Amino acid sequence: GAGVSQSPSNKVTEKGKDVELRCDPISGHTALYWYRQSLGQGLEFLIYFQGNSAPDKSGLPSDRFSAERTGGSVSTLTIQRTQQEDSAVYLCASSPGTATNEKLFFGSGTQLSVL
Amino acid sequence: GDSVTQMEGPVTLSEEAFLTINCTYTATGYPSLFWYVQYPGEGLQLLLKATKADDKGSNKGFEATYRKETTSFHLEKGSVQVSDSAVYFCALREQAGTALIFGKGTTLSVSS
């Protein structure tokens, strides 16, 4: 596709359930990032992939959060035993490389609502 | 650690007014600095960037100058339009191979 694609665009789940969020980066982009956007909190970094490895996962808020990337392409962010405070927009971004001045291309996000 | 601080919003202006959104940063080295914009219903997109001290980034009438002495990267526009209404994020990356760090965002609302 032409841009970063995320699915689903909206997800409503019950507290305690597991959810999987998917990100399809731009073809050929080696770097992939997950961020969380909450009201009043701005953009919170979660995890960054270079290829299939994650050099920086320091932003994952708890061990309920995990992510993987396969084939240097699609990434899945999994949240286990969801809590109400997990409700947010989860954004994925990709970039061709990892230079300091590299531009990130963002997807439209997944709006997660935990009831 | 590295951080970015933006002025709190919302900022409400009339069309053709002058805009300044303040951004200051904390970093140990020489980061690249960015402004990203999120228009209503759209994804974040890069507005402008600067990679070294005294560089000026510019795009769509917006400008920001990398000021190392004041660790600032304030966003300015001489005459805002209703279509500039959006959320603006200041960001930095200090080293290659690290994640972009964002400020909390500033909402701009421009009325005609």
Side-chain angles (χ1 to χ4, degrees):
Chain A
V4 177
S5 177
Q6 293 187 245
S7 61
S9 55
N10 282 282
K11 176 72 177 177
V12 180
T13 190
E14 294 179 349
K15 178 182 172 181
K17 295 286 179 75
D18 298 351
V19 296
E20 284 189 353
L21 312 179
R22 177 187 169 102
C23 173
D24 275 287
I26 294 172
S27 178
H29 281 196
T30 60
L32 186 148
Y33 307 80
W34 283 99
Y35 288 86
R36 181 167 69 175
Q37 186 175 18
S38 309
L39 276 176
Q41 296 300 313
L43 278 165
E44 177 187 10
F45 166 72
L46 298 178
I47 187 170
Y48 146 64
F49 287 92
Q50 175 61 25
N52 291 337
S53 63
D56 188 354
K57 54 180 80 171
S58 63
L60 294 177
S62 75
D63 58 9
R64 296 186 296 104
F65 287 72
S66 63
E68 64 175 11
R69 188 180 185 195
T70 55
S73 182
V74 171
S75 176
T76 303
L77 177 69
T78 301
I79 309 173
Q80 297 178 309
R81 305 181 302 282
T82 51
Q83 303 294 313
Q84 289 182 332
E85 61 263 28
D86 300 334
S87 296
V89 177
Y90 289 81
L91 295 172
C92 176
S94 69
S95 63
T98 58
T100 308
N101 62 351
E102 200 84 60
K103 169 184 174 180
L104 264 61
F105 295 78
F106 280 85
S108 297
T110 294
Q111 172 76 61
L112 175 65
S113 300
V114 182
L115 304 179
Chain B
D2 297 347
S3 65
V4 176
T5 302
Q6 290 181 237
M7 62 186 291
E8 301 233 352
V11 174
T12 303
L13 296 173
S14 298
E15 207 165 23
E16 299 183 3
F18 184 85
L19 168 71
T20 299
I21 299 179
N22 289 338
C23 171
T24 57
Y25 67 90
T26 301
T28 54
Y30 301 90
S32 289
L33 302 174
F34 307 80
W35 278 98
Y36 279 78
V37 59
Q38 187 174 33
Y39 296 104
E42 298 183 19
L44 271 90
Q45 55 189 276
L46 178 67
L47 179 61
L48 54 84
K49 67 180 179 182
T51 57
K52 62 182 187 296
D54 300 325
D55 267 2
K56 178 184 285 188
S58 61
N59 186 24
K60 299 183 179 181
F62 290 89
E63 293 183 340
T65 301
Y66 189 143
R67 301 286 188 201
K68 184 149 183 69
E69 63 275 14
T70 54
T71 61
S72 65
F73 193 54
H74 304 321
L75 182 67
E76 297 181 336
K77 187 173 185 181
S79 176
V80 294
Q81 305 300 311
V82 172
S83 58
D84 293 327
S85 298
V87 183
Y88 292 82
F89 293 89
C90 186
L92 71 80
R93 180 192 276 124
E94 180 152 21
Q95 297 177 356
T98 61
L100 208 56
I101 295 171
F102 286 87
K104 292 191 174 184
T106 302
T107 299
L108 171 65
S109 179
V110 181
S111 57
S112 57

